[in-house]
Amino acid sequence: MTYDEAVDYILNIPKFTKKNSLEHTRQFLRFLGNPERELKVIHVAGTNGKGSVCVYVEAMLRSEGKSAGLFVSPHLVRMNERIRIRGEQISDREFVRVFEKVMEKVREMERQGFPHPTFFEILFGMAVTAFADAGVEYAVLETGLGGRLDATNAVEHPAVTAIASIGMDHREILGDTLEQIAAEKAGILKKHVPVFYSEGAEASNRVIEERAAGLGISCKKIGKNAFENLRIEHKNIAFSCTNAYYGTTAWKLHNTGLYQAENAVLALEVMRSLTGGSGRPHLWKEALARAKWEGRMEEILPGIYIDGAHNVNAVQRFAESVHARGPHRKAVLFSAVQEKDYEEMTACLCRSLDADFYVVTHLEDKRAMDAEKLAEAFARYTDRPVEVRKSPREALSYVRKHQDGRTVYCLGSLYLAGMLKELAREL
């Protein structure tokens, strides 16, 4: 089997299976020999920032000489991006090897009358299998959706859990209120496992605290006063930690998103717990300064940035980061999928960014929002030009042609970020 054949099979799984229960995922792991039990798992949920927290924790673990695996989603360009071992994406050959190994067990499951694992279950099973086969000590797992019913929550005894920023997203699945969404995220909490979370609204904070109290576990809130953003440089942000454990000098991130300092401090507290307070923060500082998380305020071409902001809370934080860079001429390229609150996202962008022009496009996805409807939404909130382009390729070509010294920000969907990143590689 080739890599492309394996990927094609995985992409077509949604056509012949449906969402399975958490017990099904546990059964799937048992067929695989419970590879997750050989790993010290750091389990991370949240609406925004959970992927960044995972990347930062994994980088700091390696700085301490620990071997670690990283499982994140979605991928931007290639499926290998979801599974990383010792800081490297798994190769095409390794991807196929693990896929074939997992599929042997899937066929055995089906012969015994169990449903086929879902798209996400297969990738999760491949990840923990690859980690166990590689002999890594730690596995950093990002939830796919929510937490309580997510396949990654089949891990019964993680070492630490963490919850990044919580906001309104996936309301059709997770609920219409912050309390309901927070309850789904807090579903990853387990007895005897400490939890760390980023301070949010009082409503979501309370849900997490009450869930932790009910389980009798340690729960630490990482407040907004735990750090201070100091300055934004060309491709870096500097921040300081208020806790003396981390010293008095500035920390740097290879990113210009203001929100990333919050994610980094949450990751720092997770590391402090994992190392029992005997870690080496000077190594963590070097690791964070080197760590890169693609698709998050990433410059893909001169003056053209992609960002994965795909809900209202993320767009608000994105706009704050753009403002912090000081006065400059701007343009926006935007697209979204149908289930997102695109109306409020467009309103936020128009109110906050004061771009010279906007470009909307249609994603190559069955859930894509119609570009003409997006243009109509923008027109309700701005009198600046709004251009419609049929594809991300045409949209990127347009903004490059009319850039004229402006900084172009592309956001609204991780699918858009991935498509543009792939197109940029061709230029």
Side-chain angles (χ1 to χ4, degrees), residues 314-372:
V315 169
Q316 291 170 339
R317 290 177 158 220
F318 165 84
E320 291 170 3
S321 297
V322 173
H323 273 297
R325 302 183 69 174
H328 59 289
R329 298 165 65 213
K330 299 173 285 290
V332 168
L333 197 170
F334 183 87
S335 195
V337 293
Q338 295 173 10
E339 64 267 25
K340 301 298 180 180
D341 189 353
Y342 70 90
E343 183 82 20
E344 186 57 32
M345 285 195 285
T346 56
C348 178
L349 286 171
C350 294
R351 288 193 301 261
S352 304
L353 290 192
D354 190 30
D356 292 342
F357 65 87
Y358 299 86
V359 180
V360 294
T361 189
H362 190 88
L363 296 172
E364 298 166 10
D365 187 271
K366 63 182 181 181
R367 296 154 50 225
M369 191 64 206
D370 180 74
E372 294 289 349

Side-chain angles (χ1 to χ4, degrees), residues 231-284:
R231 60 187 177 275
I232 292 180
E233 299 170 350
H234 177 51
K235 293 185 179 181
N236 299 281
I237 185 169
F239 68 96
S240 63
C241 300
T242 55
N243 192 314
Y245 180 79
Y246 302 111
T248 58
T249 58
W251 294 65
K252 283 189 176 183
L253 297 173
H254 191 79
N255 198 290
T256 58
L258 290 177
Y259 47 84
Q260 290 295 359
E262 176 183 310
N263 297 328
V265 175
L266 177 57
L268 283 168
E269 287 296 292
V270 169
M271 278 298 297
R272 190 178 175 192
S273 174
L274 289 171
T275 58
S278 61
R280 293 171 285 181
H282 68 284
L283 297 179
W284 305 352

Side-chain angles (χ1 to χ4, degrees), residues 55-125:
V55 168
Y56 294 151
V57 169
E58 190 270 346
M60 289 187 283
L61 282 170
R62 286 189 288 112
S63 77
E64 287 279 359
K66 308 295 185 181
S67 59
L70 176 66
F71 176 60
V72 292
S73 63
H75 60 278
L76 293 180
V77 180
R78 306 190 83 233
M79 203 172 279
N80 315 52
E81 298 169 25
R82 295 172 181 251
I83 305 173
R84 310 185 190 203
I85 297 173
R86 298 183 176 91
E88 300 291 335
Q89 296 175 23
I90 63 172
S91 66
D92 290 2
R93 176 179 294 182
E94 178 66 3
F95 188 95
V96 171
R97 183 195 70 80
V98 176
F99 172 78
E100 291 179 334
K101 182 176 182 178
V102 167
M103 286 306 299
E104 286 182 12
K105 300 302 180 182
V106 170
R107 300 307 179 208
E108 188 176 334
M109 286 180 69
E110 290 185 307
R111 286 195 292 272
Q112 294 188 31
F114 292 98
H116 191 291
T118 62
F119 171 94
F120 192 76
E121 281 180 303
I122 287 288
L123 288 167
F124 171 52

Side-chain angles (χ1 to χ4, degrees), residues 125-198:
M126 287 176 61
V128 292
T129 298
F131 298 158
D133 287 355
V136 300
E137 182 179 2
Y138 290 89
V140 186
L141 306 180
E142 177 188 6
T143 58
L145 177 63
R148 182 176 63 92
L149 300 177
D150 190 73
T152 57
N153 206 28
V155 174
E156 296 177 331
H157 303 290
V160 179
T161 58
I163 301 178
S165 172
I166 291 178
M168 302 297 290
D169 199 12
H170 298 293
R171 287 183 292 181
E172 74 284 1
I173 298 173
L174 302 181
D176 290 323
T177 68
L178 277 179
E179 290 93 339
Q180 290 173 326
I181 293 173
E184 292 298 316
K185 309 294 184 184
I188 71 168
L189 274 59
K190 307 281 194 308
K191 285 186 177 181
H192 313 298
V193 180
V195 61
F196 299 83
Y197 77 94
S198 291

Side-chain angles (χ1 to χ4, degrees), residues 198-223:
S198 291
E199 177 183 17
E202 182 179 345
S204 57
N205 294 344
R206 184 173 58 253
V207 169
I208 296 169
E209 296 278 355
E210 290 177 354
R211 169 70 175 164
L215 292 170
I217 60 175
S218 169
C219 178
K220 183 171 182 179
K221 176 175 68 178
I222 313 305

